[in-house]
Amino acid sequence: METLAKYLPVSPDFYDVMELLLHRDVRVIYFGVDQILEESNGSFKGIDKKDHGEFMEIVNDKNVRLDRIITINGKIGPAYDAYEAYANACLSCQAGYDD
């Protein structure tokens, strides 16, 4: 099983978004292992800081590493740019044609 990439710093603005969601129900879309999209739903309990990163604690579901969050309740997360680049990757190719 592949491990997740090194933890990347999260923008301070994202912590402000998370503070507003504390103790509320959340729907989190995020990159799991091997860049597979996953979802976690439940009440947001808080942030758990560990040696290998910070995790969003969700009651009755999987905890999510902050830097892997694509969206949380429809709001853009730290990994959204990586997701958008991944989703648009084929739009940048020229399918063998020169410009």
Side-chain angles (χ1 to χ4, degrees), residues 37-57:
L37 293 183
E38 296 189 32
E39 181 176 335
S40 188
N41 296 285
S43 179
F44 173 38
K45 181 179 175 183
I47 297 173
D48 184 17
K49 297 181 181 187
K50 299 186 183 236
D51 291 339
H52 56 284
E54 295 177 301
F55 292 80
M56 181 177 193
E57 292 184 300

